[in-house]
Amino acid sequence: MLYGDPSKPGYYVVLQKWLPHNNSRPHKHPNDRYITVLSGTWWVNTGAKYDPAGFKPVPAGSFVVHTGNEIHYDGARDESALLQIAGMGPDTNTPAEEK
């Protein structure tokens, strides 16, 4: 946690480290999130159908906006990825996978 608290109303900034071979499943957040890849390569995809073969690489130095309620999933492959995530709270993580 760098600033604020994502579980409470207001602006927050957090650091998130994705460890190698760790991925999320399709989910969404209620508010926009602004993500900067600080190191490593972050892998992302959108949609409710989990398709790890469709991951797209986002290298260090990249900036991504996850629009509120956009279904997405993400993670790391062979190396860790360090992200800075900023947004407005309260922030939640709602599963949205289509089985």
Side-chain angles (χ1 to χ4, degrees):
M1 190 79 55
L2 295 177
Y3 181 82
D5 182 341
S7 69
K8 297 180 179 168
Y11 185 70
Y12 68 87
V13 180
V14 298
L15 291 178
Q16 179 175 346
K17 184 174 189 177
W18 282 102
L19 297 175
H21 309 290
N22 186 14
N23 300 315
S24 67
R25 302 300 286 200
H27 63 281
K28 60 184 178 175
H29 306 278
N31 303 315
D32 294 350
R33 293 163 44 108
Y34 306 93
I35 303 139
T36 304
V37 182
L38 300 176
S39 67
T41 299
W42 181 42
W43 294 84
V44 301
N45 204 349
T46 59
K49 190 81 169 165
Y50 185 68
D51 175 22
F55 274 118
K56 293 161 189 64
V58 182
S62 298
F63 179 77
V64 174
V65 176
H66 274 169
T67 304
N69 292 311
E70 171 189 57
I71 299 172
H72 63 278
Y73 46 101
D74 46 1
R77 285 199 175 163
D78 296 330
E79 64 179 336
S80 295
L82 182 62
L83 312 177
Q84 178 179 290
I85 303 172
M88 294 298 290
D91 189 24
T92 58
N93 184 331
T94 303
E97 186 168 3
E98 180 181 293
K99 299 281 180 167

Coordinates of all heavy atoms in Angstrom, one line a residue:
M1 N 0.8 -1.2 0.0 CA 0.0 0.0 0.0 C 0.9 1.2 0.0 O 1.7 1.4 0.9 CB -0.9 0.0 1.3 CG -1.9 1.0 1.3 SD -3.4 0.5 0.3 CE -3.7 -1.0 1.0
L2 N 0.7 2.1 -1.0 CA 1.5 3.3 -1.1 C 0.7 4.5 -0.6 O 1.2 5.4 0.1 CB 2.0 3.6 -2.5 CG 3.0 2.6 -3.1 CD1 3.3 3.0 -4.5 CD2 4.2 2.5 -2.3
Y3 N -0.6 4.5 -0.9 CA -1.5 5.6 -0.5 C -2.9 5.1 -0.4 O -3.4 4.4 -1.3 CB -1.3 6.7 -1.5 CG -2.2 8.0 -1.1 CD1 -1.7 8.9 -0.2 CD2 -3.4 8.1 -1.6 CE1 -2.4 10.0 0.2 CE2 -4.2 9.2 -1.3 CZ -3.7 10.2 -0.4 OH -4.4 11.2 0.0
G4 N -3.6 5.6 0.6 CA -5.0 5.3 0.7 C -5.3 3.8 1.1 O -4.4 3.1 1.6
D5 N -6.5 3.4 0.9 CA -7.0 2.0 1.2 C -8.0 1.6 0.2 O -9.1 2.2 0.1 CB -7.5 2.0 2.6 CG -8.0 0.6 3.0 OD1 -8.2 -0.3 2.2 OD2 -8.1 0.4 4.3
P6 N -7.7 0.7 -0.7 CA -8.7 0.3 -1.7 C -10.0 -0.2 -1.2 O -11.0 -0.2 -1.9 CB -8.0 -0.9 -2.5 CG -6.6 -0.9 -2.0 CD -6.5 -0.1 -0.7
S7 N -10.1 -0.6 0.0 CA -11.4 -1.1 0.6 C -12.3 0.1 1.1 O -13.4 -0.2 1.4 CB -11.1 -2.1 1.7 OG -10.6 -1.4 2.9
K8 N -11.7 1.3 1.1 CA -12.5 2.4 1.5 C -12.7 3.5 0.4 O -11.9 3.5 -0.5 CB -11.7 3.1 2.7 CG -11.6 2.1 3.9 CD -10.9 2.8 5.0 CE -10.8 1.8 6.2 NZ -9.9 2.2 7.2
P9 N -13.7 4.4 0.6 CA -13.8 5.4 -0.4 C -12.6 6.3 -0.5 O -12.0 6.6 0.5 CB -15.0 6.2 0.1 CG -15.8 5.3 1.0 CD -14.7 4.4 1.6
G10 N -12.3 6.7 -1.7 CA -11.2 7.6 -2.0 C -10.1 7.0 -2.8 O -10.1 5.9 -3.2
Y11 N -9.1 7.9 -3.2 CA -8.0 7.5 -4.0 C -7.0 6.6 -3.3 O -6.8 6.7 -2.1 CB -7.3 8.8 -4.4 CG -6.2 8.6 -5.4 CD1 -6.5 8.3 -6.8 CD2 -4.9 8.8 -5.1 CE1 -5.5 8.1 -7.7 CE2 -3.8 8.6 -6.0 CZ -4.1 8.3 -7.3 OH -3.1 8.1 -8.2
Y12 N -6.5 5.6 -4.1 CA -5.5 4.7 -3.5 C -4.5 4.4 -4.6 O -4.7 4.5 -5.8 CB -6.1 3.4 -3.0 CG -6.7 2.5 -4.2 CD1 -5.9 1.6 -4.9 CD2 -8.0 2.6 -4.6 CE1 -6.4 0.8 -5.9 CE2 -8.5 1.9 -5.6 CZ -7.7 1.0 -6.3 OH -8.2 0.2 -7.3
V13 N -3.3 4.0 -4.1 CA -2.2 3.5 -5.0 C -1.6 2.3 -4.3 O -1.2 2.4 -3.1 CB -1.1 4.6 -5.2 CG1 0.0 4.1 -6.1 CG2 -1.7 5.9 -5.7
V14 N -1.4 1.2 -5.0 CA -0.8 0.0 -4.4 C 0.2 -0.5 -5.4 O 0.2 -0.3 -6.6 CB -1.9 -1.1 -4.1 CG1 -2.9 -0.6 -3.1 CG2 -2.6 -1.5 -5.4
L15 N 1.2 -1.3 -4.8 CA 2.1 -2.0 -5.6 C 1.6 -3.5 -5.6 O 1.2 -4.0 -4.5 CB 3.5 -2.0 -5.0 CG 4.2 -0.6 -5.2 CD1 5.6 -0.7 -4.5 CD2 4.4 -0.2 -6.6
Q16 N 1.6 -4.1 -6.7 CA 1.2 -5.6 -6.8 C 2.3 -6.3 -7.5 O 2.7 -5.9 -8.6 CB -0.1 -5.8 -7.5 CG -0.5 -7.2 -7.6 CD -1.8 -7.5 -8.2 OE1 -2.6 -6.5 -8.3 NE2 -2.1 -8.7 -8.5
K17 N 2.8 -7.4 -6.9 CA 3.8 -8.2 -7.6 C 3.2 -9.5 -8.0 O 2.6 -10.2 -7.2 CB 5.0 -8.5 -6.6 CG 6.1 -9.3 -7.3 CD 7.3 -9.4 -6.3 CE 8.5 -10.0 -7.1 NZ 9.6 -10.0 -6.2
W18 N 3.2 -9.8 -9.3 CA 2.8 -11.1 -9.8 C 4.0 -12.0 -9.8 O 5.0 -11.7 -10.5 CB 2.2 -11.0 -11.2 CG 0.9 -10.4 -11.2 CD1 0.5 -9.1 -11.5 CD2 -0.3 -11.1 -11.0 NE1 -0.9 -9.0 -11.5 CE2 -1.4 -10.2 -11.2 CE3 -0.6 -12.5 -10.7 CZ2 -2.7 -10.6 -11.0 CZ3 -2.0 -12.8 -10.5 CH2 -3.0 -11.9 -10.7
L19 N 3.9 -13.2 -9.2 CA 5.0 -14.1 -9.2 C 4.9 -15.0 -10.5 O 3.8 -15.1 -11.1 CB 4.9 -15.0 -8.0 CG 5.1 -14.3 -6.6 CD1 4.9 -15.2 -5.5 CD2 6.5 -13.6 -6.6
P20 N 6.0 -15.6 -10.9 CA 6.0 -16.4 -12.1 C 4.9 -17.5 -12.1 O 4.7 -18.1 -11.0 CB 7.4 -17.0 -12.2 CG 8.3 -16.0 -11.4 CD 7.4 -15.5 -10.3
H21 N 4.3 -17.7 -13.2 CA 3.3 -18.7 -13.4 C 2.1 -18.6 -12.5 O 1.5 -19.6 -12.1 CB 4.0 -20.1 -13.2 CG 5.2 -20.3 -14.1 ND1 5.1 -20.4 -15.4 CD2 6.5 -20.3 -13.7 CE1 6.4 -20.5 -15.9 NE2 7.2 -20.4 -14.9
N22 N 1.7 -17.4 -12.2 CA 0.6 -17.1 -11.3 C -0.4 -16.2 -12.1 O 0.0 -15.1 -12.6 CB 1.1 -16.4 -10.0 CG -0.1 -16.2 -9.1 OD1 -1.1 -16.8 -9.2 ND2 0.1 -15.3 -8.1
N23 N -1.6 -16.6 -12.3 CA -2.6 -15.9 -13.1 C -3.9 -15.8 -12.4 O -4.3 -16.7 -11.6 CB -2.8 -16.6 -14.5 CG -1.6 -16.6 -15.3 OD1 -0.8 -15.7 -15.4 ND2 -1.3 -17.8 -15.9
S24 N -4.6 -14.7 -12.6 CA -6.0 -14.6 -12.1 C -7.0 -15.3 -13.1 O -6.6 -15.6 -14.2 CB -6.4 -13.2 -11.9 OG -6.5 -12.5 -13.1
R25 N -8.2 -15.5 -12.6 CA -9.3 -16.0 -13.5 C -10.1 -14.7 -13.9 O -10.0 -13.7 -13.3 CB -10.1 -17.0 -12.7 CG -9.4 -18.2 -12.2 CD -8.7 -19.0 -13.3 NE -9.6 -19.8 -14.1 CZ -9.4 -20.8 -14.8 NH1 -8.1 -21.2 -14.9 NH2 -10.3 -21.4 -15.5
P26 N -11.0 -14.9 -14.9 CA -11.8 -13.7 -15.3 C -12.5 -13.1 -14.1 O -13.2 -13.8 -13.3 CB -12.7 -14.3 -16.3 CG -12.0 -15.4 -16.9 CD -11.2 -16.0 -15.8
H27 N -12.4 -11.8 -14.0 CA -13.0 -11.0 -12.9 C -13.2 -9.6 -13.4 O -12.8 -9.2 -14.5 CB -12.2 -11.0 -11.6 CG -10.8 -10.4 -11.8 ND1 -9.8 -11.0 -12.4 CD2 -10.4 -9.2 -11.4 CE1 -8.7 -10.2 -12.4 NE2 -9.1 -9.1 -11.8
K28 N -13.9 -8.8 -12.5 CA -14.0 -7.3 -12.8 C -14.0 -6.5 -11.5 O -14.1 -7.1 -10.5 CB -15.4 -7.1 -13.6 CG -16.6 -7.5 -12.8 CD -17.9 -7.3 -13.6 CE -19.1 -7.8 -12.8 NZ -20.3 -7.5 -13.5
H29 N -13.7 -5.2 -11.7 CA -13.7 -4.3 -10.6 C -14.7 -3.2 -10.9 O -15.0 -2.9 -12.1 CB -12.3 -3.6 -10.5 CG -11.2 -4.6 -10.4 ND1 -10.9 -5.2 -9.2 CD2 -10.4 -5.2 -11.4 CE1 -9.9 -6.1 -9.5 NE2 -9.5 -6.1 -10.8
P30 N -15.3 -2.6 -9.9 CA -16.4 -1.6 -10.2 C -15.9 -0.3 -10.7 O -16.7 0.4 -11.4 CB -17.0 -1.4 -8.8 CG -15.9 -1.7 -7.8 CD -15.1 -2.8 -8.5
N31 N -14.7 0.1 -10.5 CA -14.2 1.4 -10.9 C -13.0 1.3 -11.9 O -12.3 0.2 -11.9 CB -13.7 2.2 -9.7 CG -14.9 2.4 -8.7 OD1 -16.0 2.7 -9.1 ND2 -14.6 2.1 -7.4
D32 N -12.7 2.3 -12.6 CA -11.5 2.3 -13.4 C -10.2 2.1 -12.6 O -10.2 2.6 -11.4 CB -11.3 3.6 -14.2 CG -12.4 3.9 -15.2 OD1 -13.2 2.9 -15.5 OD2 -12.5 5.0 -15.7
R33 N -9.2 1.4 -13.1 CA -8.0 1.2 -12.5 C -6.9 1.6 -13.5 O -6.9 1.3 -14.6 CB -7.8 -0.2 -12.0 CG -8.8 -0.6 -10.9 CD -9.0 -2.1 -10.7 NE -7.8 -2.9 -10.8 CZ -7.2 -3.5 -9.7 NH1 -7.8 -3.3 -8.5 NH2 -6.1 -4.2 -9.8
Y34 N -5.8 2.3 -13.0 CA -4.8 2.8 -13.8 C -3.5 2.1 -13.4 O -3.0 2.2 -12.3 CB -4.6 4.3 -13.6 CG -6.0 5.0 -13.9 CD1 -6.9 5.3 -12.8 CD2 -6.4 5.3 -15.2 CE1 -8.1 5.8 -13.1 CE2 -7.6 5.9 -15.4 CZ -8.5 6.2 -14.4 OH -9.7 6.7 -14.6
I35 N -2.9 1.4 -14.4 CA -1.8 0.4 -14.1 C -0.6 0.8 -14.9 O -0.6 0.9 -16.1 CB -2.3 -1.0 -14.4 CG1 -3.6 -1.3 -13.6 CG2 -1.2 -2.0 -14.0 CD1 -4.6 -2.1 -14.3
T36 N 0.5 0.9 -14.1 CA 1.8 1.0 -14.7 C 2.7 -0.2 -14.4 O 2.8 -0.6 -13.3 CB 2.5 2.3 -14.2 OG1 1.7 3.4 -14.4 CG2 3.9 2.5 -14.9
V37 N 3.3 -0.8 -15.5 CA 4.2 -1.9 -15.3 C 5.6 -1.4 -15.0 O 6.2 -0.7 -15.8 CB 4.2 -2.8 -16.6 CG1 5.1 -4.0 -16.3 CG2 2.8 -3.2 -17.0
L38 N 6.0 -1.6 -13.7 CA 7.3 -1.1 -13.3 C 8.4 -2.0 -13.7 O 9.5 -1.5 -13.9 CB 7.2 -0.9 -11.8 CG 6.2 0.1 -11.3 CD1 6.2 0.2 -9.7 CD2 6.4 1.5 -11.9
S39 N 8.2 -3.3 -13.6 CA 9.3 -4.2 -14.0 C 8.7 -5.5 -14.5 O 7.5 -5.9 -14.1 CB 10.3 -4.5 -12.9 OG 9.6 -5.1 -11.8
G40 N 9.4 -6.3 -15.3 CA 9.0 -7.5 -15.8 C 8.0 -7.4 -16.9 O 7.8 -6.3 -17.5
T41 N 7.3 -8.4 -17.3 CA 6.2 -8.4 -18.3 C 5.0 -8.9 -17.7 O 4.9 -10.0 -17.0 CB 6.6 -9.3 -19.5 OG1 7.8 -8.8 -20.1 CG2 5.5 -9.3 -20.6
W42 N 3.9 -8.1 -17.8 CA 2.6 -8.5 -17.3 C 1.8 -9.0 -18.5 O 1.9 -8.5 -19.6 CB 2.0 -7.2 -16.7 CG 0.6 -7.3 -16.1 CD1 0.1 -8.2 -15.3 CD2 -0.4 -6.3 -16.3 NE1 -1.1 -7.9 -14.9 CE2 -1.5 -6.7 -15.5 CE3 -0.5 -5.1 -17.0 CZ2 -2.7 -6.0 -15.4 CZ3 -1.7 -4.4 -16.9 CH2 -2.8 -4.8 -16.1
W43 N 1.0 -10.1 -18.2 CA 0.3 -10.7 -19.3 C -1.2 -10.5 -19.0 O -1.7 -10.8 -17.9 CB 0.6 -12.2 -19.4 CG 2.0 -12.4 -19.8 CD1 3.2 -12.4 -19.0 CD2 2.5 -12.6 -21.1 NE1 4.3 -12.6 -19.7 CE2 3.9 -12.7 -21.0 CE3 1.9 -12.8 -22.3 CZ2 4.7 -13.0 -22.2 CZ3 2.7 -13.0 -23.4 CH2 4.0 -13.1 -23.4
V44 N -2.0 -10.0 -20.0 CA -3.4 -9.7 -19.8 C -4.2 -10.2 -21.0 O -3.8 -10.5 -22.1 CB -3.6 -8.1 -19.8 CG1 -2.8 -7.6 -18.6 CG2 -3.2 -7.5 -21.1
N45 N -5.5 -10.4 -20.6 CA -6.5 -10.8 -21.6 C -7.9 -10.3 -21.1 O -8.0 -10.0 -19.9 CB -6.5 -12.3 -21.9 CG -7.1 -12.6 -23.3 OD1 -7.7 -11.8 -23.9 ND2 -7.0 -13.9 -23.6
T46 N -8.8 -10.2 -22.0 CA -10.2 -9.7 -21.6 C -11.2 -10.8 -22.0 O -11.0 -11.6 -22.8 CB -10.5 -8.4 -22.3 OG1 -10.5 -8.6 -23.7 CG2 -9.6 -7.3 -21.8
G47 N -12.4 -10.7 -21.3 CA -13.5 -11.6 -21.7 C -13.7 -12.6 -20.5 O -12.9 -12.8 -19.7
A48 N -14.9 -13.1 -20.6 CA -15.4 -14.0 -19.5 C -14.9 -15.5 -19.7 O -14.9 -16.3 -18.8 CB -16.9 -14.0 -19.4
K49 N -14.5 -15.8 -20.9 CA -14.0 -17.2 -21.2 C -12.5 -17.2 -21.0 O -11.7 -16.5 -21.7 CB -14.3 -17.5 -22.6 CG -14.1 -19.0 -23.0 CD -15.2 -19.8 -22.5 CE -15.1 -21.2 -23.1 NZ -15.9 -22.1 -22.4
Y50 N -12.0 -18.0 -20.0 CA -10.6 -18.0 -19.7 C -9.8 -18.7 -20.9 O -10.1 -19.8 -21.2 CB -10.4 -18.8 -18.4 CG -8.9 -18.8 -17.9 CD1 -8.3 -17.7 -17.5 CD2 -8.2 -20.0 -17.9 CE1 -7.0 -17.7 -17.0 CE2 -6.9 -20.0 -17.5 CZ -6.3 -18.9 -17.0 OH -5.0 -18.9 -16.6
D51 N -8.9 -17.9 -21.4 CA -8.1 -18.4 -22.6 C -6.6 -18.0 -22.4 O -6.2 -16.9 -22.9 CB -8.6 -17.8 -23.9 CG -7.8 -18.2 -25.1 OD1 -7.0 -19.2 -25.0 OD2 -7.9 -17.4 -26.1
P52 N -5.8 -18.8 -21.6 CA -4.5 -18.4 -21.3 C -3.6 -18.3 -22.6 O -2.6 -17.5 -22.6 CB -3.9 -19.4 -20.4 CG -4.9 -20.6 -20.5 CD -6.2 -20.0 -21.0
A53 N -4.0 -19.0 -23.7 CA -3.2 -18.9 -24.9 C -3.4 -17.5 -25.6 O -2.5 -17.1 -26.4 CB -3.7 -19.9 -25.9
G54 N -4.4 -16.7 -25.2 CA -4.7 -15.4 -25.7 C -4.0 -14.3 -24.9 O -4.2 -13.1 -25.3
F55 N -3.3 -14.6 -23.9 CA -2.6 -13.5 -23.1 C -1.7 -12.7 -24.0 O -1.1 -13.1 -24.9 CB -1.7 -14.1 -22.0 CG -2.4 -14.4 -20.8 CD1 -2.4 -15.7 -20.3 CD2 -3.0 -13.4 -20.0 CE1 -3.1 -16.0 -19.1 CE2 -3.6 -13.7 -18.8 CZ -3.6 -15.0 -18.3
K56 N -1.8 -11.4 -23.8 CA -0.9 -10.4 -24.5 C 0.1 -9.8 -23.6 O -0.2 -9.5 -22.4 CB -1.8 -9.3 -25.1 CG -2.7 -9.8 -26.2 CD -3.9 -8.9 -26.5 CE -4.9 -9.5 -27.4 NZ -5.6 -10.7 -26.8
P57 N 1.4 -9.7 -24.0 CA 2.4 -9.2 -23.1 C 2.3 -7.7 -23.0 O 2.1 -6.9 -24.0 CB 3.7 -9.6 -23.8 CG 3.3 -9.7 -25.3 CD 1.9 -10.1 -25.3
V58 N 2.6 -7.2 -21.8 CA 2.6 -5.8 -21.5 C 4.0 -5.5 -20.8 O 4.1 -5.9 -19.6 CB 1.4 -5.3 -20.6 CG1 1.5 -3.8 -20.4 CG2 0.1 -5.7 -21.2
P59 N 5.0 -5.0 -21.5 CA 6.3 -4.9 -20.9 C 6.4 -3.7 -19.9 O 5.6 -2.8 -19.9 CB 7.2 -4.7 -22.2 CG 6.3 -4.0 -23.2 CD 4.9 -4.6 -22.9
A60 N 7.5 -3.8 -19.2 CA 7.9 -2.7 -18.2 C 7.8 -1.4 -19.0 O 8.2 -1.2 -20.1 CB 9.2 -2.9 -17.6
G61 N 7.3 -0.4 -18.3 CA 7.2 1.0 -18.8 C 5.8 1.2 -19.4 O 5.5 2.4 -19.8
S62 N 5.0 0.2 -19.6 CA 3.7 0.3 -20.2 C 2.6 0.9 -19.2 O 2.8 0.7 -18.0 CB 3.2 -1.0 -20.8 OG 4.1 -1.5 -21.8
F63 N 1.6 1.5 -19.7 CA 0.5 2.0 -19.0 C -0.8 1.4 -19.5 O -1.0 1.4 -20.7 CB 0.5 3.5 -19.0 CG -0.7 4.2 -18.3 CD1 -0.6 4.3 -16.9 CD2 -1.8 4.6 -18.9 CE1 -1.7 4.9 -16.2 CE2 -2.8 5.2 -18.3 CZ -2.8 5.3 -16.9
V64 N -1.7 0.9 -18.7 CA -2.9 0.3 -19.1 C -4.1 0.8 -18.2 O -3.9 1.0 -17.0 CB -2.8 -1.3 -18.9 CG1 -4.2 -1.9 -19.2 CG2 -1.8 -1.8 -19.8
V65 N -5.2 1.1 -18.8 CA -6.4 1.4 -18.1 C -7.4 0.2 -18.1 O -7.7 -0.2 -19.2 CB -7.1 2.7 -18.7 CG1 -8.4 3.0 -17.9 CG2 -6.2 3.9 -18.6
H66 N -7.8 -0.3 -17.0 CA -8.8 -1.3 -16.9 C -10.1 -0.5 -16.6 O -10.2 0.1 -15.5 CB -8.6 -2.3 -15.8 CG -7.8 -3.4 -16.3 ND1 -7.2 -4.4 -15.5 CD2 -7.4 -3.8 -17.5 CE1 -6.5 -5.3 -16.1 NE2 -6.6 -4.9 -17.4
T67 N -11.0 -0.4 -17.5 CA -12.3 0.3 -17.4 C -13.1 -0.4 -16.4 O -13.2 -1.7 -16.4 CB -13.0 0.4 -18.7 OG1 -12.1 1.1 -19.6 CG2 -14.2 1.3 -18.6
G68 N -13.9 0.3 -15.5 CA -14.7 -0.3 -14.5 C -15.7 -1.3 -15.2 O -16.2 -1.0 -16.3
N69 N -15.8 -2.4 -14.6 CA -16.7 -3.5 -15.0 C -16.2 -4.3 -16.2 O -17.0 -5.1 -16.8 CB -18.2 -3.1 -15.1 CG -18.7 -2.8 -13.7 OD1 -18.6 -3.6 -12.8 ND2 -19.3 -1.6 -13.6
E70 N -15.0 -4.0 -16.7 CA -14.5 -4.7 -17.8 C -14.0 -6.1 -17.3 O -13.2 -6.1 -16.4 CB -13.3 -3.9 -18.4 CG -12.5 -4.7 -19.5 CD -11.2 -4.0 -19.9 OE1 -10.4 -3.7 -19.0 OE2 -11.1 -3.8 -21.1
I71 N -14.4 -7.1 -17.9 CA -14.0 -8.5 -17.5 C -12.6 -8.7 -18.1 O -12.3 -8.5 -19.2 CB -15.0 -9.5 -17.9 CG1 -16.3 -9.3 -17.3 CG2 -14.4 -10.9 -17.6 CD1 -17.4 -10.2 -17.8
H72 N -11.7 -9.1 -17.2 CA -10.3 -9.3 -17.6 C -9.6 -10.4 -16.7 O -10.2 -10.7 -15.6 CB -9.5 -8.0 -17.5 CG -9.4 -7.5 -16.1 ND1 -10.4 -6.7 -15.6 CD2 -8.5 -7.6 -15.2 CE1 -10.1 -6.4 -14.4 NE2 -8.9 -6.9 -14.1
Y73 N -8.4 -10.8 -17.1 CA -7.6 -11.7 -16.2 C -6.2 -11.4 -16.6 O -5.9 -10.9 -17.7 CB -8.0 -13.1 -16.3 CG -8.2 -13.7 -17.7 CD1 -7.2 -14.4 -18.4 CD2 -9.4 -13.4 -18.4 CE1 -7.4 -14.9 -19.6 CE2 -9.6 -13.9 -19.7 CZ -8.6 -14.7 -20.3 OH -8.8 -15.1 -21.6
D74 N -5.3 -11.7 -15.7 CA -3.9 -11.3 -15.9 C -3.0 -12.1 -15.0 O -3.4 -12.9 -14.2 CB -3.8 -9.8 -15.5 CG -4.5 -9.3 -14.3 OD1 -5.1 -10.2 -13.6 OD2 -4.4 -8.2 -13.9
G75 N -1.7 -11.8 -15.2 CA -0.7 -12.5 -14.4 C 0.7 -12.4 -14.9 O 1.1 -11.5 -15.6
A76 N 1.5 -13.4 -14.6 CA 2.9 -13.4 -15.0 C 3.2 -14.8 -15.6 O 2.6 -15.8 -15.3 CB 3.8 -13.2 -13.8
R77 N 4.2 -14.8 -16.5 CA 4.6 -16.1 -17.1 C 5.9 -16.6 -16.4 O 5.9 -17.1 -15.3 CB 4.8 -16.0 -18.6 CG 3.4 -16.0 -19.2 CD 3.5 -16.4 -20.7 NE 2.1 -16.5 -21.2 CZ 1.9 -16.5 -22.5 NH1 2.8 -16.3 -23.4 NH2 0.6 -16.6 -22.9
D78 N 7.1 -16.4 -17.1 CA 8.4 -16.9 -16.6 C 9.1 -16.0 -15.7 O 10.1 -16.4 -15.1 CB 9.3 -17.3 -17.8 CG 8.7 -18.4 -18.6 OD1 7.9 -19.2 -18.1 OD2 8.9 -18.4 -19.8
E79 N 8.7 -14.8 -15.5 CA 9.3 -13.8 -14.6 C 8.3 -13.0 -13.8 O 7.1 -13.0 -14.2 CB 10.2 -12.8 -15.4 CG 9.3 -11.9 -16.4 CD 10.1 -10.9 -17.1 OE1 11.3 -10.6 -16.7 OE2 9.7 -10.5 -18.2
S80 N 8.7 -12.5 -12.7 CA 7.8 -11.7 -11.9 C 7.5 -10.4 -12.6 O 8.2 -9.9 -13.5 CB 8.5 -11.3 -10.6 OG 8.7 -12.4 -9.8
A81 N 6.3 -9.8 -12.3 CA 6.0 -8.5 -12.8 C 5.5 -7.6 -11.7 O 4.8 -8.1 -10.8 CB 4.8 -8.6 -13.8
L82 N 6.0 -6.4 -11.6 CA 5.7 -5.5 -10.5 C 4.8 -4.4 -11.1 O 5.2 -3.7 -12.1 CB 6.9 -4.9 -9.9 CG 6.7 -3.9 -8.7 CD1 6.0 -4.6 -7.6 CD2 8.0 -3.3 -8.3
L83 N 3.6 -4.2 -10.6 CA 2.7 -3.2 -11.1 C 2.4 -2.1 -10.0 O 2.4 -2.4 -8.8 CB 1.3 -3.8 -11.4 CG 1.4 -5.1 -12.2 CD1 -0.1 -5.6 -12.4 CD2 2.0 -4.9 -13.6
Q84 N 2.2 -0.9 -10.5 CA 1.6 0.1 -9.6 C 0.2 0.3 -10.1 O -0.1 0.6 -11.3 CB 2.4 1.5 -9.8 CG 1.7 2.6 -8.9 CD 2.5 3.8 -9.0 OE1 3.6 3.9 -8.6 NE2 1.9 4.8 -9.7
I85 N -0.8 0.2 -9.2 CA -2.2 0.3 -9.5 C -2.8 1.4 -8.7 O -2.7 1.5 -7.5 CB -3.0 -1.1 -9.2 CG1 -2.3 -2.2 -9.9 CG2 -4.4 -0.9 -9.5 CD1 -2.8 -3.6 -9.6
A86 N -3.5 2.3 -9.4 CA -4.2 3.4 -8.8 C -5.6 3.4 -9.2 O -6.0 3.0 -10.3 CB -3.5 4.7 -9.2
G87 N -6.5 3.9 -8.3 CA -7.9 4.0 -8.6 C -8.7 4.6 -7.4 O -8.1 5.1 -6.5
M88 N -10.0 4.6 -7.6 CA -10.9 5.1 -6.5 C -11.5 3.9 -5.8 O -12.1 3.0 -6.5 CB -11.9 6.0 -7.1 CG -11.4 7.3 -7.7 SD -10.5 8.4 -6.5 CE -11.9 9.0 -5.6
G89 N -11.5 4.0 -4.5 CA -12.2 2.9 -3.7 C -13.6 3.3 -3.4 O -14.0 4.5 -3.7
P90 N -14.4 2.4 -2.9 CA -13.9 1.1 -2.5 C -13.8 0.2 -3.8 O -14.6 0.4 -4.7 CB -15.0 0.6 -1.6 CG -16.2 1.4 -1.9 CD -15.8 2.7 -2.4
D91 N -12.8 -0.6 -3.8 CA -12.5 -1.5 -4.9 C -12.8 -2.9 -4.5 O -12.5 -3.3 -3.4 CB -11.1 -1.4 -5.3 CG -10.8 -2.1 -6.6 OD1 -11.7 -2.3 -7.4 OD2 -9.6 -2.5 -6.8
T92 N -13.5 -3.7 -5.3 CA -13.8 -5.1 -5.1 C -13.3 -5.9 -6.3 O -13.0 -5.3 -7.3 CB -15.3 -5.3 -4.8 OG1 -16.0 -4.9 -6.0 CG2 -15.7 -4.6 -3.6
N93 N -13.3 -7.2 -6.1 CA -12.9 -8.1 -7.2 C -14.0 -9.1 -7.3 O -14.2 -9.9 -6.5 CB -11.6 -8.8 -6.8 CG -11.1 -9.7 -7.9 OD1 -11.8 -10.3 -8.7 ND2 -9.8 -9.9 -7.9
T94 N -14.8 -9.0 -8.4 CA -16.0 -9.9 -8.6 C -15.7 -10.9 -9.7 O -15.4 -10.6 -10.8 CB -17.2 -9.0 -9.1 OG1 -17.4 -8.0 -8.1 CG2 -18.4 -9.9 -9.2
P95 N -15.7 -12.2 -9.3 CA -15.5 -13.3 -10.3 C -16.5 -13.1 -11.5 O -17.7 -12.8 -11.2 CB -15.8 -14.6 -9.5 CG -15.5 -14.2 -8.1 CD -16.0 -12.8 -8.0
A96 N -16.1 -13.4 -12.7 CA -16.9 -13.2 -13.9 C -16.6 -14.3 -14.9 O -16.8 -14.0 -16.1 CB -16.8 -11.8 -14.4
E97 N -16.2 -15.4 -14.5 CA -15.8 -16.5 -15.5 C -17.0 -17.2 -16.1 O -17.9 -17.6 -15.3 CB -14.8 -17.5 -14.9 CG -14.3 -18.5 -15.8 CD -13.1 -19.3 -15.3 OE1 -12.8 -19.1 -14.1 OE2 -12.6 -20.1 -16.1
E98 N -17.0 -17.3 -17.4 CA -18.0 -18.1 -18.1 C -17.5 -19.5 -18.1 O -16.5 -19.8 -18.7 CB -18.2 -17.5 -19.5 CG -19.3 -18.2 -20.3 CD -19.3 -17.5 -21.7 OE1 -19.7 -16.4 -21.8 OE2 -18.9 -18.2 -22.7
K99 N -18.3 -20.4 -17.6 CA -17.9 -21.9 -17.6 C -18.4 -22.6 -18.8 O -19.4 -22.3 -19.3 CB -18.4 -22.5 -16.3 CG -17.8 -21.9 -15.0 CD -16.4 -22.4 -14.8 CE -15.9 -21.7 -13.5 NZ -14.7 -22.3 -13.0

